[in-house]
Amino acid sequence: MNVPEGLFYTKEHEWVKIDGNQAKMGISDHAQHELGDITFVELPAQQTQCEQFKQIATIESVKAASDIYAPLSGKVTAVNNKVVENPELVNQSPYEQGWLLAIELTEESQIENLMDADAYKNYLKESL
Amino acid sequence: MKTKKTPLFEQHNKLGAKCAPFGGWLMPIQYEGIISEHQWTRNNCSVFDICHMGEFLIKADALPSKLDKILTQNLVNMPLKTCRYGFMLNDNAGIIDDVIIYRIEQDKWMLVVNAATSSADFEHLEKNLAKDNVKIEDISNTLAKLDLQGPLSRDVLVEIAGEGILKLDYYTFDYFKVLGENIIISRTGYTGELGFELYISNDKVIALWNLLLKNKTVKPAGLGARDTLRLEVCYPLYGQDINSTTTPLEAGLAGFVDMNKDFSGKKALGKKQEQGLVKKLCCFETDSRRAPRHDYEIFSNNRKVGVVTSGSYSPSLGCGIGMGYIETQFSDIGTEIILQHENVKINAKVVKRPFYKKGSLRI
């Protein structure tokens, strides 16, 4: 499974790329692989306030519906409407074209609650 | 109970399948992906490992026998080497199982039953047939089953089993020499496409699986695609859309019940027919890509009027589709309904069955 360096990860298999106070997020390669063909994505409206580890979006695959959790608290500043029209982008390119939304983060210290690439790789190994 | 594995389990691993438990068996859910397997079956030909299903051989001397009384289909007038889809009902007309009946000889039958209900079915048959000079044998442990489905399946099978395949009409079967064994091949299936079901001994099934996959038009498909394929043509899944508390009438399957003969559950079924149906199994489409799911509640005008039994994204239609029981007065075609689960609300509309109308089933 592809686990790019420089990103942070959650136990629920979201990734987040932090640039100043902007955080872009999506689901990991492992998550898209586990879900299988993604058929539907529901994203929040811009300006929605989100809380770390609380539900912020929904993804459905052929088999099931899954909640997606915010990796950090803040305000939604951008959503990727391309994945709403073409949910398969999340399968094809989970870290690039398949990103879900961007958050303006409010509490930088929350980053400590996330895993870096090495920690996430170990987490995946342990959960096998 | 320990999860069982079919003789093809290692083959599935080699093909990189994702496996999960189904009906007491560890079964391949998908290989490449559910949607691509679904599309491949609609356009080409797929092979499915269906070894989990149960098969009983029944020798019933005279007709009408007690076997005929256990099943809703008429066995007496069934021609040799044909199949019929029917039910075993309980005293309340609830469905114990849906089965395919094969008439092998004048007094010899094969019953193909669901994996999860197999042992209960066998008990039910034994209990009701024991005193009737009927021999019943569970051959599930030695007999394997492969489904070959898709518009190209006939061409593929002709190469393996000979031109006799061309003579098989819908819901008929015959014996064919394959890999040195005389095997039953029936023109039946669960996808809405032209297709066949092959019954071969466990010893030969790996060889047959690999022989079929040598043909470049054949790809393996898992139970995930099998589920979306059957849902698009509104075939019921036992345990979800039908069970021991639902009747064939409510499920819209009265065509597989012969009310001109006697069978267990007939009295209760007749009574329900007289009283009129309280609920009906309906088909509905959503207004988005969002899918109905099993157990979502169905609302009309803020009142709960039903429950979803099966649902999925439809690869052929590009929207969510589902089936579920809805109170009769809200079951008309075109009725707008709302599917709800926690904070999810989906707009949907009752539509005519089947969802997918272009299947190659009868070509």
Side-chain angles (χ1 to χ4, degrees):
Chain A
M1 290 301 142
N2 183 13
V3 181
E5 299 288 334
L7 305 183
F8 290 97
Y9 298 87
T10 70
K11 287 182 179 174
E12 299 285 348
H13 307 285
E14 289 94 7
W15 59 262
V16 58
K17 188 178 180 183
I18 297 164
D19 188 2
N21 67 346
Q22 290 295 312
K24 199 174 179 181
M25 74 159 290
I27 65 167
S28 74
D29 189 31
H30 170 84
Q32 71 76 20
H33 185 261
E34 284 301 302
L35 290 171
D37 293 328
I38 289 165
T39 54
F40 172 84
V41 178
E42 185 180 57
L43 299 175
Q46 290 199 29
Q47 308 297 320
T48 301
Q49 293 290 334
C50 59
E51 250 185 85
Q52 190 175 36
F53 306 141
K54 292 276 166 67
Q55 195 203 341
I56 186 66
T58 304
I59 283 186
E60 291 196 0
S61 67
V62 180
K63 295 302 287 178
S66 311
D67 291 341
I68 304 301
Y69 303 95
L72 296 159
S73 301
K75 188 172 71 184
V76 175
T77 54
V79 294
N80 182 6
N81 283 315
K82 280 188 187 159
V83 297
V84 176
E85 283 153 39
N86 299 297
E88 62 273 17
L89 285 174
V90 181
N91 291 119
Q92 292 160 1
S93 176
Y95 299 109
E96 300 289 338
Q97 292 185 64
W99 67 281
L100 298 178
L101 53 100
I103 299 165
E104 189 180 284
L105 60 109
T106 45
E107 290 174 55
E108 218 171 303
S109 63
Q110 287 180 340
I111 296 170
E112 287 168 24
N113 303 332
L114 304 172
M115 291 176 271
D116 64 14
D118 282 343
Y120 182 59
K121 276 182 205 165
N122 282 332
Y123 176 70
L124 287 179
K125 258 187 228 160
E126 280 165 21
S127 53
L128 270 181
Chain B
M1 195 176 73
K2 197 169 168 267
T3 314
K4 292 188 258 188
K5 289 175 187 164
T6 80
L8 294 165
F9 186 72
E10 286 308 317
Q11 311 303 309
H12 303 321
N13 277 342
K14 271 188 216 162
L15 290 162
K18 268 190 214 170
C19 291
F22 179 84
W25 294 74
L26 194 56
M27 297 301 292
I29 302 303
Q30 64 167 75
Y31 304 85
E32 227 175 70
I34 293 174
I35 293 178
S36 63
E37 289 161 33
H38 178 108
Q39 306 289 26
W40 190 264
T41 313
R42 289 263 178 260
N43 297 311
N44 299 287
C45 177
S46 300
V47 60
F48 299 77
D49 175 5
I50 306 298
C51 292
H52 59 304
M53 286 186 79
E55 298 91 10
F56 305 151
L57 261 190
I58 300 172
K59 211 161 154 59
D61 280 350
L63 288 166
S65 69
K66 278 198 181 166
L67 179 62
D68 185 65
K69 288 205 181 83
I70 292 179
L71 297 159
T72 58
Q73 282 278 15
N74 191 330
L75 301 193
V76 182
N77 67 11
M78 211 174 138
L80 284 185
K81 292 185 175 168
T82 62
C83 313
R84 279 184 183 168
Y85 172 78
F87 309 101
M88 292 197 286
L89 302 184
N90 59 31
D91 292 339
N92 299 319
I95 301 171
I96 295 172
D97 201 5
D98 61 338
V99 304
I100 308 266
I101 309 148
Y102 288 67
R103 186 166 206 176
I104 296 175
E105 289 167 20
Q106 194 64 24
D107 58 354
K108 197 172 162 192
W109 312 83
M110 182 167 77
L111 243 55
V112 180
V113 303
N114 284 297
T117 48
S118 179
S119 54
D121 290 350
F122 191 79
E123 271 174 38
H124 179 75
L125 286 163
E126 273 209 319
K127 199 175 87 189
N128 287 283
L129 294 173
K131 289 177 202 148
D132 201 34
N133 198 21
V134 170
K135 261 192 211 153
I136 158 164
E137 190 187 351
D138 185 349
I139 54 169
S140 315
N141 285 338
T142 53
L143 193 64
K145 176 175 184 282
L146 297 182
D147 285 14
L148 193 71
Q149 303 277 303
L152 302 182
S153 58
R154 183 155 47 198
D155 306 336
V156 171
L157 263 192
V158 164
E159 282 180 30
I160 287 171
E163 303 231 319
I165 290 293
L166 300 172
K167 292 189 195 133
L168 283 187
D169 288 327
Y170 186 56
Y171 262 63
T172 69
F173 70 93
D174 212 336
Y175 282 93
F176 294 87
K177 191 131 193 175
V178 173
L179 296 168
E181 188 175 314
N182 258 334
I183 71 163
I184 288 180
I185 299 179
S186 59
R187 195 171 144 198
T188 48
Y190 197 48
T191 60
E193 298 299 332
L194 172 69
F196 301 86
E197 296 181 287
L198 292 76
Y199 299 86
I200 193 164
S201 68
N202 274 355
D203 305 341
K204 295 266 170 78
V205 70
I206 295 175
L208 179 57
W209 172 266
N210 288 320
L211 181 64
L212 289 166
L213 285 178
K214 254 188 203 164
N215 189 317
K216 290 293 162 229
T217 56
V218 183
K219 286 189 179 182
L223 293 190
R226 184 171 158 90
D227 194 45
T228 54
L229 288 158
R230 69 94 194 166
L231 185 58
E232 283 189 345
V233 289
C234 299
Y235 292 168
L237 173 61
Y238 192 85
Q240 265 181 226
D241 309 302
I242 52 175
N243 60 38
S244 62
T245 68
T246 59
T247 70
L249 292 179
E250 294 161 343
L253 300 167
F256 305 100
V257 178
D258 185 345
M259 290 302 275
N260 295 316
K261 58 160 253 187
D262 191 23
F263 59 86
S264 321
K266 183 182 176 183
K267 213 172 140 189
L269 200 65
K271 210 171 167 188
K272 283 181 201 276
Q273 202 167 21
E274 259 170 45
Q275 288 167 342
L277 298 179
V278 177
K279 58 176 184 178
K280 266 187 187 170
L281 190 62
C282 297
C283 299
F284 32 84
E285 278 176 23
T286 71
D287 68 351
S288 70
R289 296 175 63 108
R290 189 159 222 175
R293 306 281 173 189
H294 183 70
D295 279 346
Y296 280 18
E297 295 183 321
I298 302 173
F299 282 80
S300 177
N301 293 324
N302 292 321
R303 195 163 85 77
K304 191 189 164 189
V305 296
V307 63
V308 176
T309 53
S310 282
S312 173
Y313 170 75
S314 162
S316 301
L317 277 69
C319 65
I321 57 169
M323 295 201 283
Y325 286 96
I326 303 181
E327 289 178 21
T328 310
Q329 65 264 42
F330 300 96
S331 66
D332 291 343
I333 306 295
T335 306
E336 310 226 332
I337 50 175
I338 293 171
L339 313 174
Q340 281 193 33
H341 174 71
E342 291 168 0
N343 55 358
V344 175
K345 266 190 187 182
I346 311 170
N347 295 318
K349 197 166 73 178
V350 177
V351 297
K352 246 189 209 165
R353 62 171 82 175
F355 297 106
Y356 182 74
K357 298 172 177 74
K358 291 182 283 188
S360 58
L361 186 64
R362 289 170 194 271
I363 60 170

